Amino acid sequence: MNILNDSQFKNTNCADYISRASKVVTLVDLAGHEKYFKTTAYGLTGHLPDYACVIVGANAGVIGMCKEHFGVAMALKVPAFFIITKIDICPKHILTNTIQTLSGILKKPGVKKRPITVRTVADVLLCARNIHADSLAPIFLTSSVTGEGLDLVKLFFMLPSEKTL
């Protein structure tokens, strides 16, 4: 499978591109600051996303707006997955704390999600098959600098979910 990047997309008619694609992934970057929460809420309601990807900085941990964004996705019944970034610059004990904090939030009685730290292709397959189950919350560990974990995220994006099968 090939990924058609933005530069390649610009040289192709949109209809041609979509007719050749097995899957189209559109990423909408929504504001993380509380000042722009209305914009984020609109993005989640106005775009009718199939999934919500919540980004967590490994070194910053789970901050207040992360919880709010996840809460909106839950209220809208949009399946969410998490990408913890900057693992290359984060001390191991801080990364461990970030994962534990996120997992603790996901396991709370009102949430009842099973956090799965995605480390292997088998984990990706499990998550792609079950992303629409209300009990699953994939967590990817990544670094944009070293590329660690990005192959698993790309694979996750390319696989069909149970909903599309």
Side-chain angles (χ1 to χ4, degrees):
M1 286 188 190
N2 292 330
I3 296 176
L4 186 61
N5 289 326
D6 189 52
S7 61
Q8 295 165 310
F9 176 72
K10 288 178 182 176
N11 297 328
T12 307
N13 177 301
C14 186
D16 293 339
Y17 167 73
I18 291 173
S19 69
R20 291 184 292 134
S22 60
K23 185 177 208 176
V24 176
V25 176
T26 302
L27 301 174
V28 180
D29 183 11
L30 300 173
H33 192 276
E34 62 190 68
K35 176 179 173 182
Y36 303 106
F37 184 68
K38 286 183 183 178
T39 303
T40 298
Y42 173 75
L44 282 170
T45 57
H47 292 287
L48 301 171
D50 293 314
Y51 310 99
C53 174
V54 180
I55 306 294
V56 178
N59 56 336
V62 181
I63 57 172
M65 290 312 294
C66 174
K67 297 174 196 174
E68 297 294 330
H69 293 158
F70 176 55
V72 171
M74 276 190 52
L76 295 171
K77 299 200 181 312
V78 176
F81 62 97
F82 299 83
I83 297 180
I84 297 179
T85 63
K86 302 180 184 179
I87 63 169
D88 57 308
I89 63 167
C90 187
K92 188 164 182 74
H93 71 282
I94 301 289
L95 175 59
T96 299
N97 185 55
T98 299
I99 295 168
Q100 288 174 343
T101 302
L102 179 57
S103 295
I105 291 167
L106 294 169
K107 292 176 183 177
K108 285 190 175 194
V111 181
K112 294 183 187 173
K113 301 282 184 192
R114 187 176 106 206
I116 296 178
T117 303
V118 179
R119 298 186 189 275
T120 65
V121 171
D123 293 339
V124 174
L125 295 172
L126 172 71
C127 292
R129 269 190 246 114
N130 297 293
I131 188 66
H132 286 281
D134 284 342
S135 62
L136 188 73
I139 301 171
F140 294 86
L141 305 176
T142 66
S143 166
S144 295
V145 174
T146 66
E148 184 177 348
L150 295 179
D151 55 337
L152 298 174
V153 174
K154 287 178 185 177
L155 179 61
F156 182 72
F157 283 160
M158 291 173 31
L159 291 172
S161 67
E162 192 66 33
K163 183 179 179 183
T164 59
L165 293 176

